[in-house]
Amino acid sequence: MKKNIQKLTLSAIFIALSTVLSMVKIYDPPLGGSVTLLSMLPVVMISLMFGLKWGLGTSFVYGLGQMMLSFGEVFSWGLTPLALVMTFVLDYILAYFVLGFAGLFRKKGTLGLIAGTVMVLLLRFACHFLTGVFIFDIWCEWDNVWIYSLCYNGGYMLPEVIITTIGAVLLFRIPRIKKLLTAE
């Protein structure tokens, strides 16, 4: 019981930290998405510390929080009801939920940390890419909305993947953090 309370408390703190870091934007494109200061790293770290099940629960709660914080912006885009639902499901609930899958790489050392971080951020990119294919058709002046979505979402997700992975590796070098991530 005490261990669950500690895990719940740490998860809540890390969700709050991720939320604050999500507001520190390095790059903020006009149609959503952004490069942030390691905003996903605390949620990924929870998954790596406590495993898949706990990580998925934490990332789901984080996604709901991000969705609530973005309601006004998303509604201002003038999307159809179907596009709104797809945006909320793919861009928020699913895109942040996949961060919990980093727990699959728990106890795999530095390579597992890197692989888990990169994998979940690429899964998040895939969610945003699919959303872009469905909603960018409204604004897209390109002949191919698939390429537009790839370029637009890749433009902020690729730097996010690189920054978060570097941050995870640097954090893993701290002995206390490494012990938390590799402890039974």
Side-chain angles (χ1 to χ4, degrees):
M1 180 70 163
K2 183 178 177 183
K3 186 168 179 123
N4 281 340
I5 291 172
Q6 290 173 333
K7 286 167 60 173
L8 183 62
T9 303
L10 190 58
S11 296
I13 291 167
F14 275 34
I15 289 170
L17 179 59
S18 280
T19 301
V20 170
L21 290 172
S22 76
M23 295 175 191
V24 181
K25 296 181 180 182
I26 298 167
Y27 172 64
D28 194 12
L31 301 175
S34 60
V35 179
T36 63
L37 184 61
L38 304 170
S39 66
M40 290 172 287
L41 186 56
V43 174
V44 169
M45 298 309 273
I46 285 291
S47 186
L48 290 166
M49 285 189 290
F50 301 139
L52 179 65
K53 183 179 174 184
W54 200 271
L56 290 172
T58 301
S59 60
F60 178 73
V61 171
Y62 177 62
L64 290 177
Q66 289 298 301
M67 183 175 68
M68 288 180 204
L69 289 172
S70 301
F71 270 151
E73 179 185 359
V74 173
F75 279 110
S76 74
W77 295 343
L79 300 175
T80 66
L82 178 61
L84 269 173
V85 169
M86 292 191 72
T87 298
F88 286 128
V89 170
L90 285 172
D91 262 359
Y92 293 96
I93 296 172
L94 192 57
Y96 291 105
F97 179 72
V98 299
L99 297 177
F101 285 109
L104 292 171
F105 295 87
R106 186 174 186 218
K107 300 185 191 334
K108 303 289 186 206
T110 303
L111 288 178
L113 173 82
I114 293 168
T117 302
V118 170
M119 181 196 76
V120 299
L121 292 174
L122 291 176
L123 287 172
R124 180 176 168 220
F125 163 75
C127 293
H128 296 307
F129 170 74
L130 289 174
T131 305
V133 168
F134 293 112
I135 70 166
F136 285 148
D137 197 34
I138 298 167
W139 301 291
C140 185
E141 295 177 8
W142 293 23
D143 290 334
N144 190 326
V145 71
W146 294 83
I147 293 174
Y148 183 81
S149 182
L150 178 71
C151 293
Y152 182 86
N153 290 297
Y156 70 88
M157 280 305 301
L158 180 59
E160 190 81 19
V161 170
I162 294 167
I163 291 168
T164 304
T165 303
I166 291 170
V169 170
L170 292 175
L171 203 57
F172 192 69
R173 299 183 119 198
I174 299 170
R176 179 72 179 129
I177 300 296
K178 188 172 185 173
K179 184 179 176 184
L180 280 172
L181 292 174
T182 57
E184 290 295 326

